[in-house]
Amino acid sequence: MSLYFVRHGETEANARQVYYGRLDVDINARGERHAREAAGYLDAVAFDRVIVSERKRTWQTARVICPDEAIWEIHPGLNEMDFGEWEGLDHREVGKRYPGTYRNWCDDWMHTAPDGGECFMDMYQRVCAAFDALDIKDGENILIVGHHGPFQCLFSKFLDAPPEAIWHLKFLQGSYSKVTLAEGYPVIEGINLRHREE
């Protein structure tokens, strides 16, 4: 079986480089182009299931790649990290408005939660548990359209690396990453691929 991971197309929040996860924002014109690019690379793949998060930016991207919503599944456990009151703010604004929490977060980003949000380790455990519960069957081709943070968590898990290994992983928009499962073990076939899958 093969799992295809596609990060949602760009949003204005991405372009502004602000913290956001819970904010439910649309992909922008560049994000629509990212979705079309990924669709072109994957147009020969017959998907059995399409898995998206609760956020419409994943739906908008998935709709371009595989518009058959009858095979879609929404999994809240694969949502991006909830940044609470930091949502929509950049690091300078957060540092000014929430200096104490931001200082603690810089010192211990894995365990300190943004004001009103969730900490990284809570997200990590949530995302990994959600993936483990997907009930993947032999022979399935599955498209997972999601978010950067959760993809970092999952690929760290696939590599049996510690959670802090996420900083070594970057998932680009307008590309796809492929994982096959061999006797239950994930094998990473490629990250940020930009060629047509045959």
Side-chain angles (χ1 to χ4, degrees):
M1 73 217 55
S2 296
L3 307 174
Y4 296 87
F5 294 82
V6 174
R7 184 183 174 193
H8 65 77
E10 184 184 83
T11 69
E12 286 307 309
N14 290 138
R16 290 172 46 223
Q17 297 185 326
V18 297
Y19 294 107
Y20 85 112
R22 186 179 63 203
L23 282 178
D24 205 11
V25 296
D26 296 306
I27 59 175
N28 59 20
R30 191 171 182 213
E32 291 173 5
R33 188 165 68 248
H34 289 145
R36 289 194 300 272
E37 288 169 353
Y41 302 139
L42 297 173
D43 66 351
V45 181
F47 292 110
D48 300 290
R49 298 163 69 187
V50 176
I51 293 169
V52 294
S53 80
E54 286 184 305
R55 306 301 173 223
K56 62 185 176 183
R57 54 193 182 270
T58 65
W59 311 349
Q60 291 166 342
T61 304
R63 206 168 272 137
V64 178
I65 302 169
C66 186
D68 182 6
E69 295 186 30
I71 62 170
W72 285 22
E73 302 168 24
I74 298 173
H75 287 265
L78 297 177
N79 288 351
E80 181 59 277
M81 182 170 159
D82 183 346
F83 286 92
E85 295 174 28
W86 298 9
E87 296 267 335
L89 305 177
D90 65 27
H91 69 278
R92 292 176 296 272
E93 293 171 311
V94 169
K96 288 178 183 176
R97 296 189 195 186
Y98 308 97
T101 311
Y102 187 63
R103 191 163 46 249
N104 293 338
W105 192 72
C106 290
D107 291 339
D108 185 8
W109 59 271
M110 293 178 68
H111 302 99
T112 302
D115 299 81
E118 66 180 334
C119 75
F120 168 79
M121 284 306 300
D122 286 344
M123 178 191 70
Y124 181 90
Q125 291 163 2
R126 163 174 60 77
V127 168
C128 291
F131 180 82
D132 289 342
L134 288 181
D135 188 26
I136 297 169
K137 297 177 176 60
D138 287 344
E140 288 187 318
N141 284 327
I142 300 177
L143 172 64
I144 301 176
V145 182
H147 306 271
H148 193 251
F151 284 0
Q152 288 177 307
C153 294
L154 289 176
F155 277 69
S156 294
K157 171 187 167 71
F158 297 156
L159 291 166
D160 285 328
E164 56 267 31
I166 65 160
W167 299 114
H168 299 288
L169 296 164
K170 184 173 183 178
F171 294 88
L172 302 176
Q173 290 155 323
S175 65
Y176 70 96
S177 299
K178 182 179 179 181
V179 173
T180 56
L181 295 181
E183 297 182 2
Y185 291 96
V187 177
I188 297 173
E189 302 279 349
I191 296 176
N192 298 323
L193 299 172
R194 292 181 183 271
H195 60 72
R196 190 171 185 269
E197 183 77 2
E198 300 296 339

